[in-house]
């Protein structure tokens, strides 16, 4: 409605926990012609942690593009915009935004992970995806989900089970965090002939049902027992 001052006053009453609050505030200030305050708001948004922020409204496009124009050094605005584009199936736009974010901040692990997903799933570029995932995990070796996705990509690329097993064995605490990662580890043990260890790891853990995991735990349990039975025969 063009009521910029009223809009800014409302935004300034909100809890300052979401970067999008300040991206919107910067956009409103820009429309009101208060460029200095707009730049300050955009700068504050850029400095905030991106955790838990996922813009999903069309209005975020103008706000984030305005921030990118006013503060070209901001790596987070294109990252957030890439998330919006990817969620709305605008994959080329998402990749372009994430690539810009990665150039501006090569140390941001999550944007590397996102690019890995996009390269693999939307462009079929498994080598480029692998490079992105390697960078993402190197930047944050405490992220069990990235390790799981990195291993899934390795499986898709046809990496030898022994090589995948060695990679997972180097991070036992991360493997232990996730049921799906543990099952992959057990599967690799079975593929490598380590059936007794595979069985021991299965019996030592209480697994929980998860979507896409149907039959994986029981399948590896049966495989380990059958192979151990063959040895005893």
């Amino acid at each position: 409605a063009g009521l910029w001052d009223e809009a800014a006053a409302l935004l300034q009453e909100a809890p300052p926990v979401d970067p999008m609050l300040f991206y919107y505030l910067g956009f409103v200030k820009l429309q009101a012609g208060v460029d200095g305050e707009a730049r300050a708001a955009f700068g504050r948004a850029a400095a905030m942690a991106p955790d838990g922020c996922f813009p999903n409204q069309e209005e975020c496009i103008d706000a984030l593009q305005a921030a990118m124009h006013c503060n070209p050094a901001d790596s987070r605005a294109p990252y957030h915009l890439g998330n919006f584009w990817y969620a709305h199936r605008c994959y080329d736009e998402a990749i372009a935004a994430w690539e810009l974010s990665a150039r501006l901040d090569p140390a941001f692990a999550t944007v590397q992970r996102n690019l890995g997903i996009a390269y693999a799933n939307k462009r079929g570029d498994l080598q480029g995806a692998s490079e992105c995932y390697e960078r993402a995990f190197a930047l944050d070796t405490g992220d069990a989900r990235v390790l799981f996705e990195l291993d899934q990509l390795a499986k898709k690329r046809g990496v030898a089970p022994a090589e995948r097993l060695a990679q997972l064995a180097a991070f036992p605490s991360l493997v232990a965090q996730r049921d799906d990662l543990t099952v992959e580890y057990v599967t690799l043990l079975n593929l490598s002939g380590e059936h007794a260890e595979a069985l021991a790891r299965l019996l030592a853990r209480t697994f929980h049902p998860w979507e896409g995991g149907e039959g994986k735990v029981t399948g590896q349990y049966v495989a380990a027992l059958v192979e151990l039975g063959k040895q005893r025969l």
Side-chain angles (χ1 to χ4, degrees):
L3 303 174
W4 308 118
D5 292 340
E6 290 85 343
L10 267 176
L11 287 169
Q12 288 166 330
E13 289 297 318
V17 296
D18 189 332
M20 283 310 302
L21 171 68
F22 295 100
Y23 282 122
Y24 284 127
L25 180 60
F27 177 75
V28 166
K29 291 290 187 180
L30 206 60
Q31 303 310 305
V34 192
D35 291 3
E37 293 183 21
R39 293 179 187 278
F42 287 145
R44 187 169 178 183
M48 293 180 69
D51 304 353
C53 174
F54 201 103
N56 53 55
Q57 298 171 309
E58 286 186 20
E59 290 80 5
C60 77
I61 301 171
D62 288 340
L64 291 169
Q65 288 178 339
M68 292 164 62
H69 177 75
C70 289
N71 185 11
D74 176 12
S75 67
R76 295 299 188 259
Y79 162 72
H80 292 304
L81 186 58
N83 290 348
F84 174 88
W85 287 134
Y86 199 85
H88 288 78
R89 303 182 182 182
C90 299
Y91 302 119
D92 289 338
E93 291 86 345
I95 290 171
W98 285 335
E99 287 175 338
L100 173 59
S101 176
R103 288 195 298 271
L104 292 170
D105 184 6
F108 184 30
T110 303
V111 78
Q112 298 288 348
R113 176 257 183 189
N114 288 4
L115 279 170
I117 288 178
Y119 287 163
N121 292 343
K122 303 306 172 186
R123 291 190 174 174
D125 181 4
L126 300 186
Q127 181 59 38
S130 181
E131 292 170 2
C132 287
Y133 261 104
E134 292 286 355
R135 285 194 292 269
F137 189 63
L139 289 166
D140 184 3
T141 55
D143 193 327
R145 177 172 179 166
V146 170
L147 178 60
F148 172 71
E149 293 174 352
L150 177 61
D151 179 66
Q152 292 296 293
L153 181 58
K155 179 163 62 173
K156 196 170 185 177
R157 290 173 55 227
V159 174
E163 185 177 340
R164 291 173 54 207
L165 182 61
Q167 166 108 350
L168 296 185
F171 300 95
S173 62
L174 297 187
V175 172
Q177 288 181 24
R178 296 179 64 100
D179 284 350
D180 50 8
L181 199 46
T182 300
V183 170
E184 287 298 327
Y185 188 72
V186 167
T187 301
L188 292 168
L189 286 172
N190 272 329
L191 290 172
S192 302
E194 302 292 337
H195 309 299
E197 185 179 351
L199 181 61
R201 287 182 176 270
L202 286 170
L203 295 177
R205 185 182 183 95
T206 300
F207 291 87
H208 304 85
W210 76 93
E211 185 176 356
E214 299 85 354
K216 290 187 176 180
V217 178
T218 53
Q220 292 308 311
Y221 176 72
V222 169
L225 288 174
V226 168
E227 294 304 319
L228 288 171
K230 289 179 181 178
Q231 291 176 11
R232 296 195 180 191
L233 283 172

